[in-house]
Amino acid sequence: MEELGKIHQLIVPLFGHNMVFNLEVIFMTWIVIAILILFGIATTRKKSMLPGSLQVIGELFVAQLYDLTEDALDRKLAKTYAPLIFALFLFLVLGNWIGMVPHLGEPTKDLNTPLSLGLMGFVIAHYAGIKSKGFKAYAKEYFEPIFFMMPLNVIGELAKIVSISFRLFGNIMGGSIIILVVSHLTWSIVFPPFLNAFFGLFVGAIQAFVFTMLTVVYISVQVK
Amino acid sequence: MAYDIQTWVSVAAYIGGGVAIGLGAVGAAIGEGYTAAFASSAISRSPNLSGEIFKSMLVGQAIAESASIFALVIAMILLFSDFSSQSSLMIFVPISAGLSMGFGAIGSGVGSGFPAGAACTGISRQPAMSARLTTNMLIGSAVCQTPAIFALVTSFILLFTNFSSSPVSPTWAAILGAGLASGLGAIGSGLGGGLVAGASCEGIARQPKSETTVTNVMLLGQAVTQTTAIYGLLVSFILLFKIFAPTDSIAAAMALLGAGISIGLGAIGPGIGEGFTAKSAVAAIAKNQKATGEITRVMLVGQAVSESTGIYSLVISLVLIFVI
């Protein structure tokens, strides 16, 4: 229970400011990235018309996620944004699941990770909007339905970043605290596997899916 | 008779524990009863499926109950942990944790009952879809639990943060406000998310082909429905982690309490209202899959308008915290 809320930080002083690095989160993020890269290499190494088992898994992922993207965006945009969506989803799923391995922790448990991913989605969505509609039409949407709704529209857009990132953060962080506390209360007998299955596997996968889908939908709302 | 601070801290822990599980038991019980009612009528419609429907009812009820189990965990911690502190701030911490979890469990408990009930009815209507219906129900109910998990997070942070170095005067109000913001804020979103999930189970039972689309739109609708609960969580975090200057003025403290109450109560309405919007949208998409894009867009815009009242509350909360 003592480890709750303790964060290993590397603080680098730079021109009078302190740059703070959360070491654990960085390590975990890199582990997730490394596993994903290895997975990518393994699934594409031996490409053939008669796919091996690894290639089938990779193709399954790509086909499923591509269909999802194409449902929300149209075909042309889906081609552009699908790789981003795959990467986002796989990173989030693996990031949410990695906490089930002892001594590893979810990078998404730290608000910085979901917040930066949410910010990324926000920037991409608005870039796509400006690119497809032109800046004038894009800016005009903020003054609809009436001009004085502008501040509310801006707050509403900014609130999207907050909501998308806090949802992921709250779920993963809440799940990991529950697992820790209940395991502590029951001396790690019987309960932890079930808790890990529910909060790790199940909630982790669902929240990764929700985050990815919302990013796609935010892009599609801006584009149309 | 004068009591020392330690006595009052214990008193507060017992009261907090009672509030947590007392309020926390309300929602799940209603939700589970709702599920069982629909399971009964489903069995009367097709008695030969009683085993399938009974199983689905139990699974659905187990998920609905998890909100209450969260409350039970918090109540247990409050009753059996040793809160030894000489700071009178610790009197407010257990009460706030109890309020947060107690209120927070209500919405998700009731809400999770809707998809389970709809799944039971759906199985009796469309037995071939029973496995898919159960999966969809599980996803819907699990997302529905998110607001309760937010309330749980706030309770845990309250219980495990060390407030001993904070000034008593405005911090006591911030602590109470944080609990109320997350707790009350979770009610509407929990209920609303349940409405959406219920509609999606019904839609899949009526139109099995629409399954993927309906599940996706359900997740989207639920996610937007939860936005106001997230505002509540955000205000709680600000109240808990911002460092407030010590003050003797009761007004400054009350501003922080008011901030919590503002977003807490303000989040209830939008949560339920957005739930209604998404519920109808999901039902409409199940009937007419071709119009999915159009309906989704109208749903999102409608939810955004419904949410604007929640944003007003958020703005007032932030003004109360940062400006006044």
Side-chain angles (χ1 to χ4, degrees), chain A residues 175-192:
Chain A
S176 71
I177 298 180
I178 294 167
I179 292 173
L180 198 70
V181 169
V182 175
S183 306
H184 179 80
L185 288 177
T186 57
W187 292 284
S188 300
I189 302 169
V190 183
F191 284 94

PDB file of all heavy atoms in Angstrom, chain A residues 175-192:
ATOM      1  N   GLY A 175      -8.960   1.250 -11.946  1.00  0.00           N
ATOM      2  CA  GLY A 175      -8.806  -0.200 -11.961  1.00  0.00           C
ATOM      3  C   GLY A 175      -7.555  -0.641 -11.239  1.00  0.00           C
ATOM      4  O   GLY A 175      -7.583  -1.547 -10.413  1.00  0.00           O
ATOM      5  N   SER A 176      -6.436   0.048 -11.511  1.00  0.00           N
ATOM      6  CA  SER A 176      -5.189  -0.405 -10.896  1.00  0.00           C
ATOM      7  C   SER A 176      -5.219  -0.172  -9.390  1.00  0.00           C
ATOM      8  O   SER A 176      -4.696  -0.991  -8.628  1.00  0.00           O
ATOM      9  CB  SER A 176      -3.988   0.286 -11.536  1.00  0.00           C
ATOM     10  OG  SER A 176      -3.956   1.630 -11.173  1.00  0.00           O
ATOM     11  N   ILE A 177      -5.868   0.925  -8.941  1.00  0.00           N
ATOM     12  CA  ILE A 177      -5.940   1.141  -7.489  1.00  0.00           C
ATOM     13  C   ILE A 177      -6.824   0.079  -6.844  1.00  0.00           C
ATOM     14  O   ILE A 177      -6.501  -0.460  -5.783  1.00  0.00           O
ATOM     15  CB  ILE A 177      -6.485   2.546  -7.162  1.00  0.00           C
ATOM     16  CG1 ILE A 177      -5.552   3.623  -7.709  1.00  0.00           C
ATOM     17  CG2 ILE A 177      -6.604   2.731  -5.662  1.00  0.00           C
ATOM     18  CD1 ILE A 177      -6.041   5.009  -7.410  1.00  0.00           C
ATOM     19  N   ILE A 178      -7.944  -0.249  -7.516  1.00  0.00           N
ATOM     20  CA  ILE A 178      -8.835  -1.265  -6.938  1.00  0.00           C
ATOM     21  C   ILE A 178      -8.093  -2.592  -6.808  1.00  0.00           C
ATOM     22  O   ILE A 178      -8.162  -3.258  -5.768  1.00  0.00           O
ATOM     23  CB  ILE A 178     -10.083  -1.455  -7.819  1.00  0.00           C
ATOM     24  CG1 ILE A 178     -10.922  -0.189  -7.815  1.00  0.00           C
ATOM     25  CG2 ILE A 178     -10.920  -2.614  -7.314  1.00  0.00           C
ATOM     26  CD1 ILE A 178     -11.979  -0.177  -8.877  1.00  0.00           C
ATOM     27  N   ILE A 179      -7.360  -2.972  -7.865  1.00  0.00           N
ATOM     28  CA  ILE A 179      -6.626  -4.238  -7.820  1.00  0.00           C
ATOM     29  C   ILE A 179      -5.645  -4.219  -6.647  1.00  0.00           C
ATOM     30  O   ILE A 179      -5.558  -5.169  -5.862  1.00  0.00           O
ATOM     31  CB  ILE A 179      -5.874  -4.477  -9.147  1.00  0.00           C
ATOM     32  CG1 ILE A 179      -6.874  -4.714 -10.272  1.00  0.00           C
ATOM     33  CG2 ILE A 179      -4.940  -5.666  -9.031  1.00  0.00           C
ATOM     34  CD1 ILE A 179      -6.250  -4.788 -11.638  1.00  0.00           C
ATOM     35  N   LEU A 180      -4.938  -3.092  -6.511  1.00  0.00           N
ATOM     36  CA  LEU A 180      -3.940  -2.987  -5.446  1.00  0.00           C
ATOM     37  C   LEU A 180      -4.590  -3.089  -4.062  1.00  0.00           C
ATOM     38  O   LEU A 180      -4.163  -3.874  -3.212  1.00  0.00           O
ATOM     39  CB  LEU A 180      -3.203  -1.648  -5.591  1.00  0.00           C
ATOM     40  CG  LEU A 180      -1.887  -1.522  -4.873  1.00  0.00           C
ATOM     41  CD1 LEU A 180      -0.870  -2.405  -5.547  1.00  0.00           C
ATOM     42  CD2 LEU A 180      -1.428  -0.078  -4.873  1.00  0.00           C
ATOM     43  N   VAL A 181      -5.664  -2.309  -3.873  1.00  0.00           N
ATOM     44  CA  VAL A 181      -6.274  -2.241  -2.541  1.00  0.00           C
ATOM     45  C   VAL A 181      -6.945  -3.566  -2.178  1.00  0.00           C
ATOM     46  O   VAL A 181      -6.753  -4.097  -1.077  1.00  0.00           O
ATOM     47  CB  VAL A 181      -7.284  -1.071  -2.485  1.00  0.00           C
ATOM     48  CG1 VAL A 181      -8.117  -1.156  -1.232  1.00  0.00           C
ATOM     49  CG2 VAL A 181      -6.557   0.247  -2.555  1.00  0.00           C
ATOM     50  N   VAL A 182      -7.714  -4.131  -3.134  1.00  0.00           N
ATOM     51  CA  VAL A 182      -8.414  -5.371  -2.807  1.00  0.00           C
ATOM     52  C   VAL A 182      -7.413  -6.511  -2.601  1.00  0.00           C
ATOM     53  O   VAL A 182      -7.569  -7.330  -1.691  1.00  0.00           O
ATOM     54  CB  VAL A 182      -9.446  -5.716  -3.898  1.00  0.00           C
ATOM     55  CG1 VAL A 182     -10.076  -7.066  -3.631  1.00  0.00           C
ATOM     56  CG2 VAL A 182     -10.514  -4.656  -3.949  1.00  0.00           C
ATOM     57  N   SER A 183      -6.356  -6.552  -3.435  1.00  0.00           N
ATOM     58  CA  SER A 183      -5.338  -7.584  -3.239  1.00  0.00           C
ATOM     59  C   SER A 183      -4.706  -7.444  -1.860  1.00  0.00           C
ATOM     60  O   SER A 183      -4.435  -8.431  -1.179  1.00  0.00           O
ATOM     61  CB  SER A 183      -4.243  -7.474  -4.297  1.00  0.00           C
ATOM     62  OG  SER A 183      -4.798  -7.482  -5.566  1.00  0.00           O
ATOM     63  N   HIS A 184      -4.490  -6.204  -1.447  1.00  0.00           N
ATOM     64  CA  HIS A 184      -3.899  -5.970  -0.133  1.00  0.00           C
ATOM     65  C   HIS A 184      -4.842  -6.438   0.978  1.00  0.00           C
ATOM     66  O   HIS A 184      -4.432  -7.100   1.918  1.00  0.00           O
ATOM     67  CB  HIS A 184      -3.594  -4.488   0.018  1.00  0.00           C
ATOM     68  CG  HIS A 184      -3.004  -4.122   1.326  1.00  0.00           C
ATOM     69  ND1 HIS A 184      -1.677  -4.309   1.606  1.00  0.00           N
ATOM     70  CD2 HIS A 184      -3.558  -3.589   2.435  1.00  0.00           C
ATOM     71  CE1 HIS A 184      -1.442  -3.907   2.837  1.00  0.00           C
ATOM     72  NE2 HIS A 184      -2.562  -3.461   3.354  1.00  0.00           N
ATOM     73  N   LEU A 185      -6.142  -6.109   0.837  1.00  0.00           N
ATOM     74  CA  LEU A 185      -7.109  -6.458   1.881  1.00  0.00           C
ATOM     75  C   LEU A 185      -7.291  -7.965   1.986  1.00  0.00           C
ATOM     76  O   LEU A 185      -7.571  -8.483   3.062  1.00  0.00           O
ATOM     77  CB  LEU A 185      -8.465  -5.807   1.589  1.00  0.00           C
ATOM     78  CG  LEU A 185      -8.565  -4.287   1.794  1.00  0.00           C
ATOM     79  CD1 LEU A 185      -9.939  -3.806   1.385  1.00  0.00           C
ATOM     80  CD2 LEU A 185      -8.287  -3.930   3.232  1.00  0.00           C
ATOM     81  N   THR A 186      -7.155  -8.696   0.849  1.00  0.00           N
ATOM     82  CA  THR A 186      -7.399 -10.139   0.888  1.00  0.00           C
ATOM     83  C   THR A 186      -6.095 -10.927   0.875  1.00  0.00           C
ATOM     84  O   THR A 186      -6.098 -12.116   0.603  1.00  0.00           O
ATOM     85  CB  THR A 186      -8.231 -10.576  -0.327  1.00  0.00           C
ATOM     86  OG1 THR A 186      -7.522 -10.172  -1.509  1.00  0.00           O
ATOM     87  CG2 THR A 186      -9.596  -9.947  -0.328  1.00  0.00           C
ATOM     88  N   TRP A 187      -4.975 -10.272   1.164  1.00  0.00           N
ATOM     89  CA  TRP A 187      -3.644 -10.908   1.129  1.00  0.00           C
ATOM     90  C   TRP A 187      -3.401 -11.631  -0.195  1.00  0.00           C
ATOM     91  O   TRP A 187      -2.864 -12.742  -0.238  1.00  0.00           O
ATOM     92  CB  TRP A 187      -3.484 -11.882   2.294  1.00  0.00           C
ATOM     93  CG  TRP A 187      -3.446 -11.177   3.594  1.00  0.00           C
ATOM     94  CD1 TRP A 187      -2.426 -10.476   4.124  1.00  0.00           C
ATOM     95  CD2 TRP A 187      -4.508 -11.099   4.544  1.00  0.00           C
ATOM     96  NE1 TRP A 187      -2.785  -9.943   5.333  1.00  0.00           N
ATOM     97  CE2 TRP A 187      -4.049 -10.310   5.613  1.00  0.00           C
ATOM     98  CE3 TRP A 187      -5.819 -11.597   4.576  1.00  0.00           C
ATOM     99  CZ2 TRP A 187      -4.846 -10.016   6.709  1.00  0.00           C
ATOM    100  CZ3 TRP A 187      -6.593 -11.307   5.664  1.00  0.00           C
ATOM    101  CH2 TRP A 187      -6.113 -10.528   6.720  1.00  0.00           C
ATOM    102  N   SER A 188      -3.880 -11.048  -1.281  1.00  0.00           N
ATOM    103  CA  SER A 188      -3.679 -11.585  -2.637  1.00  0.00           C
ATOM    104  C   SER A 188      -4.185 -13.013  -2.820  1.00  0.00           C
ATOM    105  O   SER A 188      -3.643 -13.772  -3.605  1.00  0.00           O
ATOM    106  CB  SER A 188      -2.202 -11.530  -3.035  1.00  0.00           C
ATOM    107  OG  SER A 188      -1.770 -10.196  -3.004  1.00  0.00           O
ATOM    108  N   ILE A 189      -5.229 -13.374  -2.070  1.00  0.00           N
ATOM    109  CA  ILE A 189      -5.787 -14.714  -2.247  1.00  0.00           C
ATOM    110  C   ILE A 189      -7.015 -14.620  -3.138  1.00  0.00           C
ATOM    111  O   ILE A 189      -7.858 -13.744  -2.959  1.00  0.00           O
ATOM    112  CB  ILE A 189      -6.183 -15.335  -0.883  1.00  0.00           C
ATOM    113  CG1 ILE A 189      -4.961 -15.398   0.030  1.00  0.00           C
ATOM    114  CG2 ILE A 189      -6.779 -16.717  -1.059  1.00  0.00           C
ATOM    115  CD1 ILE A 189      -5.281 -15.740   1.453  1.00  0.00           C
ATOM    116  N   VAL A 190      -7.130 -15.509  -4.106  1.00  0.00           N
ATOM    117  CA  VAL A 190      -8.304 -15.716  -4.959  1.00  0.00           C
ATOM    118  C   VAL A 190      -8.663 -14.521  -5.841  1.00  0.00           C
ATOM    119  O   VAL A 190      -8.806 -14.656  -7.042  1.00  0.00           O
ATOM    120  CB  VAL A 190      -9.556 -16.126  -4.132  1.00  0.00           C
ATOM    121  CG1 VAL A 190     -10.720 -16.402  -5.061  1.00  0.00           C
ATOM    122  CG2 VAL A 190      -9.249 -17.336  -3.284  1.00  0.00           C
ATOM    123  N   PHE A 191      -8.786 -13.309  -5.261  1.00  0.00           N
ATOM    124  CA  PHE A 191      -9.379 -12.200  -6.005  1.00  0.00           C
ATOM    125  C   PHE A 191      -8.548 -11.639  -7.157  1.00  0.00           C
ATOM    126  O   PHE A 191      -9.098 -11.341  -8.211  1.00  0.00           O
ATOM    127  CB  PHE A 191      -9.756 -11.061  -5.052  1.00  0.00           C
ATOM    128  CG  PHE A 191     -10.991 -11.357  -4.276  1.00  0.00           C
ATOM    129  CD1 PHE A 191     -10.911 -11.916  -3.015  1.00  0.00           C
ATOM    130  CD2 PHE A 191     -12.237 -11.090  -4.821  1.00  0.00           C
ATOM    131  CE1 PHE A 191     -12.068 -12.202  -2.300  1.00  0.00           C
ATOM    132  CE2 PHE A 191     -13.393 -11.370  -4.118  1.00  0.00           C
ATOM    133  CZ  PHE A 191     -13.307 -11.938  -2.853  1.00  0.00           C
ATOM    134  N   PRO A 192      -7.217 -11.455  -6.996  1.00  0.00           N
ATOM    135  CA  PRO A 192      -6.483 -10.714  -8.031  1.00  0.00           C
ATOM    136  C   PRO A 192      -6.656 -11.196  -9.469  1.00  0.00           C
ATOM    137  O   PRO A 192      -6.811 -10.353 -10.355  1.00  0.00           O
ATOM    138  CB  PRO A 192      -5.026 -10.819  -7.569  1.00  0.00           C
ATOM    139  CG  PRO A 192      -5.137 -10.923  -6.105  1.00  0.00           C
ATOM    140  CD  PRO A 192      -6.362 -11.735  -5.842  1.00  0.00           C
TER     141      PRO A 192
END
